[in-house]
Amino acid sequence: MKYILYARKSSEDKSKQILSLESQVNEMKKLASSLGLDIALTYTESKSAKLPNNRPLFLEMVKLLETNGSEDYGIICWKIDRLSRNPIDSGKIQWLLQQGKIKAIQTSDRQYLP
């Protein structure tokens, strides 16, 4: 299985940001290495996730997962809230996971499975 590394930093309140995009990517690469996960793609974007359909790279990743036929993909991200902060995007991710289009979501502290 191959993993898509997704890192997001909000473009809104920068004072609340914990890890920079570079730090998130580095931490997830270390985690992937320790767990033996193969990162095939990396998406990084600096956008708020409060509104649905506001993140072009997130939408590109979702489209890839929806239309992918033969490759098994998982997602690796620092925290689950880096993927979504609104119910529409959360629902997309949950549906793809439930349908097996996403085989696993790995965060720094947990793994989510279908």
Side-chain angles (χ1 to χ4, degrees), residues 5-21:
L5 191 157
Y6 183 81
R8 180 185 65 80
K9 181 176 169 113
S10 179
S11 58
E12 289 185 346
D13 190 356
K14 293 177 181 8
S15 66
K16 292 183 180 179
Q17 299 297 312
I18 297 171
L19 280 185
S20 69
L21 287 172

Side-chain angles (χ1 to χ4, degrees), residues 11-109:
S11 58
E12 289 185 346
D13 190 356
K14 293 177 181 8
S15 66
K16 292 183 180 179
Q17 299 297 312
I18 297 171
L19 280 185
S20 69
L21 287 172
E22 183 180 349
S23 296
Q24 288 180 46
V25 169
N26 289 338
E27 289 297 315
M28 292 302 92
K29 284 183 176 179
K30 283 184 209 171
L31 179 63
S33 178
S34 71
L35 296 175
L37 307 180
D38 178 20
I39 296 175
L41 298 165
T42 299
Y43 291 101
T44 61
E45 60 189 340
S46 183
K47 289 274 193 181
S48 172
K50 287 184 181 177
L51 297 175
N53 303 318
N54 187 41
R55 297 172 290 149
L57 294 177
F58 174 81
L59 294 173
E60 183 180 314
M61 178 180 70
V62 167
K63 186 175 182 177
L64 170 78
L65 293 165
E66 287 174 334
T67 60
N68 178 50
S70 60
E71 192 71 54
D72 287 342
Y73 279 110
I75 297 174
I76 185 167
C77 59
W78 181 56
K79 297 284 181 192
I80 200 71
D81 72 355
R82 299 299 84 202
L83 280 179
S84 64
R85 304 253 337 206
N86 68 74
I88 292 173
D89 291 347
S90 294
K92 285 180 188 176
I93 293 295
Q94 289 173 12
W95 182 247
L96 290 171
L97 186 64
Q98 192 174 49
Q99 294 300 301
K101 299 274 185 171
I102 301 172
K103 300 300 182 191
I105 298 173
Q106 181 66 56
T107 65
S108 60
D109 59 353

